[in-house]
Amino acid sequence: MCRLFRVLLYIYLSFSTATFTTRQAEAQSDPLPSWNDTAAKKNIEAFVDRVTKDGDHDFVPPEERIATFDNDGTLWVESPVYTQVVFAFTRIKAMAPQHLEWKTKQPFKGVLEGDMKAVAATGEKGILEITLATSAGMTNAEFEKSVSDWISQARDRRFNHPYNELIYQPMVELLAYLRSNGSKTFIVSGGDQEFMRPWTEKAYGIPPEQVVGSTIKTQFEMRDGQPVLMRLPQIGFIDDGPGKPVGINESIGRRPILAFGNSDGDLQMLEWTAAGAGPRLMLLVHHTDAAREYAYDRKSSVGKLDKALDEAIAKGWIVVSMKDDWKKIFPFQ
Amino acid sequence: MCRLFRVLLYIYLSFSTATFTTRQAEAQSDPLPSWNDTAAKKNIEAFVDRVTKDGDHDFVPPEERIATFDNDGTLWVESPVYTQVVFAFTRIKAMAPQHLEWKTKQPFKGVLEGDMKAVAATGEKGILEITLATSAGMTNAEFEKSVSDWISQARDRRFNHPYNELIYQPMVELLAYLRSNGSKTFIVSGGDQEFMRPWTEKAYGIPPEQVVGSTIKTQFEMRDGQPVLMRLPQIGFIDDGPGKPVGINESIGRRPILAFGNSDGDLQMLEWTAAGAGPRLMLLVHHTDAAREYAYDRKSSVGKLDKALDEAIAKGWIVVSMKDDWKKIFPFQ
């Protein structure tokens, strides 16, 4: 061999070896490091392998690998009360000086006095009044700003962290893992979609157009010659329970092949996903870890998991025990 | 040089040259070959250059390069009547044997007898009745099938082509060009979104989840133990005129930086787009080519373009003349 060729061959081989080593390292690195090596993790990985192998009987084209995730209790903390309720209560207190009538009017009086029993006694009607008082009667941009401002400085009392850091690290890894395998990931939540959109892209890698939630009706108006969207004091759509398949159809228009929830409010989304043809993955996050997060299910007023748990067990859906299946809960741990 | 090395060098150089030639050809190949080299095309290309140059003052991150397109009259033919109306009329005729009462009841009688004046006389109420009769009272899957079946065999009388081939080739190229420059392309149409979703991915490369339109209310139900979405005889949302910014906000949650329409029904979408900060592109397709397609604007009952044309001229939005700016209209020409 001539010298030049030998040098060239050496460079080539070094390069190939380097490439090979890098590839091997990539293959060996675990995309779900916060998951224990239990059945839940293995079943998820096996499902992804099945649907992504081209030529395989169970292959699903990338554009059909729609994955929908509930938010409260599935991607972030919902205990002891939904974060959006904490936000609304803070807003009621901030807005109280402009609403002296709230001093004597439930459910506002209860919120201002910290009397949660009085608030609870007003039922759904009370919750609706609080929601509309704190998130309607302003432009969409104004509401978005109030959410962004609040989430950047509010902190959960137990963990002393901003709420958008109280997200589940194993689920964040799962979202990224599914996307790296061609899935399009969506949030399908009972919460107000405008309460989520300002921060989901940074927290989960999910852009606003892939956030489906409940809505307040909005109206296009001209204000000082500038177009604005006014949030009217009227609920548009409740994206919960049987509303979730409706929301999925309206906003996505394709049936998911993977669906993730944690409560009875997710049951119909999982049923709708399960009823499609071909391979399907349905998963429930079960809150079983009082030490690291919370433990609740059948009797909880927030994130009640009862019927959906029975159906998951009966139908062999994956039930993740946060205590047993997750190495860590939050990114900051 | 030893022989082996010479062979290797030859292969390497051939490959490099081939690669270089291919790249050069790609750079030189026009992404908008069906557009004449007029101001419209140049302005579009200049805008794309501005927003995609990293480090430039006008740079827009890819995730914010949202582009929204009206469908009827902007991406496909809407004359002499909206294609969805042709579909509904065909369905009325097919369903008539099961609805003997239609023989004497307007607007159905008019449709069955081809008496368009009688249909028109029933106004918006009549159109609503026809819409609900032909697209509600069935599951979403059933409706989708009726659309797919119809569009695969119906043909436009003038051009003798299926309706999903009566799409504008320059706009198809523009969609692909914008996507290749990082944009996410959406349809935002007054038409029923379920009437578009079965065919937009193949025709335009726009997947169902990026099709925003008017809706019929749906309801989640169990039928023989299987979940279905029933289409109720009730309009959910009208995605037209001032409804377009509302629909954009609900389904996309981000303000477009590019918006494309052709009629007064698109005016608010363009105004909403224009009112954002940073670089913006607003464009109207003006139907000026009676020979190759149709010519209509201020006085047309379908796709009326009057106020939006005035505003486009006043504000310097791009107005595309189909006759002057487009080399060809349809892909099959």
Side-chain angles (χ1 to χ4, degrees):
Chain A
M1 259 190 282
C2 67
R3 193 190 143 82
L4 190 55
F5 177 68
R6 246 183 326 195
V7 170
L8 212 69
L9 191 71
Y10 173 78
I11 293 170
Y12 172 73
L13 286 176
S14 312
F15 181 73
S16 310
T17 316
T19 312
F20 178 67
T21 315
T22 312
R23 277 192 196 141
Q24 219 176 23
E26 272 170 13
Q28 281 171 355
S29 83
D30 182 355
L32 302 172
S34 301
W35 290 70
N36 285 319
D37 286 324
T38 49
K41 178 178 181 174
K42 283 172 189 159
N43 286 335
I44 292 168
E45 290 176 333
F47 180 86
V48 169
D49 283 348
R50 266 172 75 197
V51 299
T52 53
K53 250 185 211 143
D54 207 346
D56 196 276
H57 174 259
D58 283 340
F59 177 77
V60 176
E63 66 273 16
E64 289 173 22
R65 292 180 206 153
I66 302 289
T68 56
F69 290 79
D70 168 58
N71 186 37
D72 296 307
T74 299
L75 296 179
W76 78 343
V77 168
E78 64 181 352
S79 270
V81 283
Y82 297 116
T83 304
Q84 197 174 344
V85 173
V86 183
F87 164 76
F89 284 15
T90 313
R91 294 273 299 158
I92 291 286
K93 285 169 196 161
M95 292 164 78
Q98 282 80 51
H99 294 270
L100 296 177
E101 74 281 10
W102 287 353
K103 278 191 179 170
T104 53
K105 195 187 166 197
Q106 294 295 5
F108 306 102
K109 183 172 182 281
V111 173
L112 296 175
E113 294 171 355
D115 180 359
M116 288 307 113
K117 272 192 185 168
V119 177
T122 61
E124 278 193 22
K125 192 172 159 286
I127 296 291
L128 182 65
E129 280 185 80
I130 291 170
T131 304
L132 295 179
T134 53
S135 68
M138 65 190 90
T139 69
N140 211 64
E142 286 162 354
F143 180 66
E144 193 183 312
K145 186 177 181 310
S146 77
V147 173
S148 297
D149 287 351
W150 180 80
I151 210 135
S152 70
Q153 42 103 341
R155 283 177 171 246
D156 172 85
R157 283 190 194 172
R158 175 171 168 195
F159 299 102
N160 195 27
H161 268 268
Y163 289 93
N164 52 354
E165 291 179 11
L166 295 184
I167 57 180
Y168 305 136
Q169 178 62 22
M171 297 304 282
V172 172
E173 292 166 7
L174 181 55
L175 285 162
Y177 171 61
L178 293 177
R179 284 193 295 263
S180 74
N181 281 284
S183 268
K184 207 163 178 176
T185 54
F186 289 82
I187 288 175
V188 178
S189 163
D192 184 337
Q193 60 188 26
E194 303 303 342
F195 181 70
M196 299 181 277
R197 284 172 165 170
W199 53 269
T200 55
E201 192 155 29
K202 201 171 159 223
Y204 308 132
I206 298 180
E209 63 268 27
Q210 284 157 228
V211 175
V212 182
S214 296
T215 60
I216 298 274
K217 279 209 174 167
T218 56
Q219 185 172 284
F220 180 85
E221 290 177 12
M222 281 291 176
R223 194 194 258 188
D224 305 325
Q226 284 297 307
V228 295
L229 288 175
M230 279 300 295
R231 288 169 69 87
L232 307 180
Q234 203 180 336
I235 295 291
F237 177 67
I238 302 287
D239 189 53
D240 196 35
K244 290 206 175 189
V246 171
I248 287 170
N249 184 61
E250 287 201 355
S251 296
I252 308 176
R254 251 200 273 248
R255 196 190 297 251
I257 70 159
L258 309 102
F260 304 83
N262 78 300
S263 79
D264 285 359
D266 303 311
L267 177 56
Q268 287 85 353
M269 173 168 77
L270 271 62
E271 288 176 335
W272 178 244
T273 302
R280 305 275 140 182
L281 184 145
M282 283 64 61
L283 182 152
L284 284 175
V285 173
H286 192 185
H287 292 259
T288 51
D289 197 331
R292 294 187 299 173
E293 201 241 8
Y294 297 95
Y296 56 92
D297 47 33
R298 296 185 191 274
K299 286 174 183 166
S300 177
S301 62
V302 167
K304 180 177 175 178
L305 175 63
D306 184 35
K307 281 186 188 169
L309 187 56
D310 290 339
E311 197 160 324
I313 293 164
K315 297 193 172 163
W317 298 345
I318 299 174
V319 180
V320 165
S321 163
M322 290 173 76
K323 189 175 177 183
D324 305 316
D325 294 324
W326 288 358
K327 269 185 202 146
K328 71 194 252 186
I329 308 281
F330 301 117
F332 54 79
Q333 278 169 340
Chain B
M1 255 190 282
C2 69
R3 195 189 139 82
L4 189 55
F5 176 67
R6 246 183 324 193
V7 170
L8 212 70
L9 191 69
Y10 174 77
I11 292 170
Y12 171 74
L13 288 176
S14 312
F15 181 73
S16 308
T17 316
T19 310
F20 179 68
T21 314
T22 311
R23 276 190 197 145
Q24 219 177 22
E26 272 169 13
Q28 282 171 353
S29 83
D30 181 355
L32 302 172
S34 301
W35 291 71
N36 286 319
D37 287 323
T38 48
K41 179 179 180 173
K42 282 171 190 160
N43 287 335
I44 293 169
E45 289 176 334
F47 181 86
V48 169
D49 283 349
R50 266 172 75 196
V51 300
T52 53
K53 248 184 215 146
D54 207 347
D56 195 275
H57 174 258
D58 283 338
F59 177 76
V60 177
E63 66 273 16
E64 289 174 23
R65 292 180 206 153
I66 302 288
T68 55
F69 290 79
D70 169 58
N71 186 37
D72 297 307
T74 300
L75 296 179
W76 78 342
V77 169
E78 64 181 352
S79 270
V81 283
Y82 297 117
T83 305
Q84 197 174 344
V85 173
V86 183
F87 165 76
F89 283 15
T90 313
R91 295 273 299 158
I92 292 285
K93 285 168 196 163
M95 293 163 79
Q98 283 81 53
H99 295 269
L100 296 177
E101 75 279 11
W102 287 353
K103 279 191 179 170
T104 54
K105 194 187 168 197
Q106 293 294 6
F108 306 102
K109 183 170 182 281
V111 173
L112 296 175
E113 293 171 355
D115 180 359
M116 288 308 111
K117 274 192 184 168
V119 176
T122 62
E124 279 196 18
K125 192 171 160 284
I127 297 292
L128 183 65
E129 280 186 79
I130 291 171
T131 304
L132 296 179
T134 53
S135 68
M138 64 190 90
T139 69
N140 211 63
E142 286 163 352
F143 179 67
E144 192 183 314
K145 187 177 180 309
S146 78
V147 173
S148 296
D149 288 351
W150 180 80
I151 210 136
S152 69
Q153 42 102 344
R155 282 176 172 247
D156 172 85
R157 282 190 196 169
R158 175 173 168 195
F159 299 103
N160 195 29
H161 269 268
Y163 289 94
N164 51 355
E165 292 178 11
L166 295 185
I167 58 181
Y168 305 135
Q169 178 61 22
M171 296 304 282
V172 172
E173 291 166 7
L174 181 55
L175 285 162
Y177 171 62
L178 293 177
R179 285 193 294 263
S180 75
N181 281 285
S183 269
K184 208 164 178 176
T185 54
F186 289 82
I187 288 175
V188 177
S189 163
D192 183 338
Q193 61 187 26
E194 303 303 342
F195 181 71
M196 298 180 278
R197 284 172 165 170
W199 54 270
T200 55
E201 191 155 27
K202 202 171 158 223
Y204 308 130
I206 298 181
E209 63 269 25
Q210 284 157 232
V211 175
V212 182
S214 296
T215 61
I216 297 275
K217 280 210 173 166
T218 57
Q219 183 172 285
F220 180 85
E221 291 177 11
M222 281 291 179
R223 193 194 260 188
D224 306 325
Q226 285 297 308
V228 294
L229 288 175
M230 279 300 295
R231 286 169 71 85
L232 307 181
Q234 205 179 336
I235 296 292
F237 177 67
I238 302 287
D239 189 53
D240 197 33
K244 289 204 176 189
V246 172
I248 287 170
N249 184 60
E250 288 201 353
S251 296
I252 307 176
R254 250 199 274 248
R255 196 190 298 250
I257 68 159
L258 308 103
F260 304 83
N262 77 299
S263 78
D264 284 0
D266 303 312
L267 177 56
Q268 288 84 355
M269 173 167 78
L270 271 62
E271 286 176 337
W272 179 244
T273 302
R280 307 274 140 183
L281 184 144
M282 283 64 61
L283 183 150
L284 284 176
V285 173
H286 192 185
H287 292 259
T288 51
D289 196 331
R292 295 187 300 173
E293 201 240 7
Y294 297 96
Y296 56 93
D297 47 33
R298 297 186 190 272
K299 286 175 183 170
S300 176
S301 62
V302 166
K304 181 179 174 177
L305 175 64
D306 184 34
K307 281 187 189 169
L309 188 56
D310 290 339
E311 197 159 325
I313 293 165
K315 297 193 172 162
W317 299 345
I318 299 174
V319 179
V320 164
S321 162
M322 290 173 76
K323 189 175 176 184
D324 305 317
D325 294 324
W326 288 359
K327 269 187 203 146
K328 70 194 252 187
I329 308 281
F330 301 118
F332 54 79
Q333 279 168 338

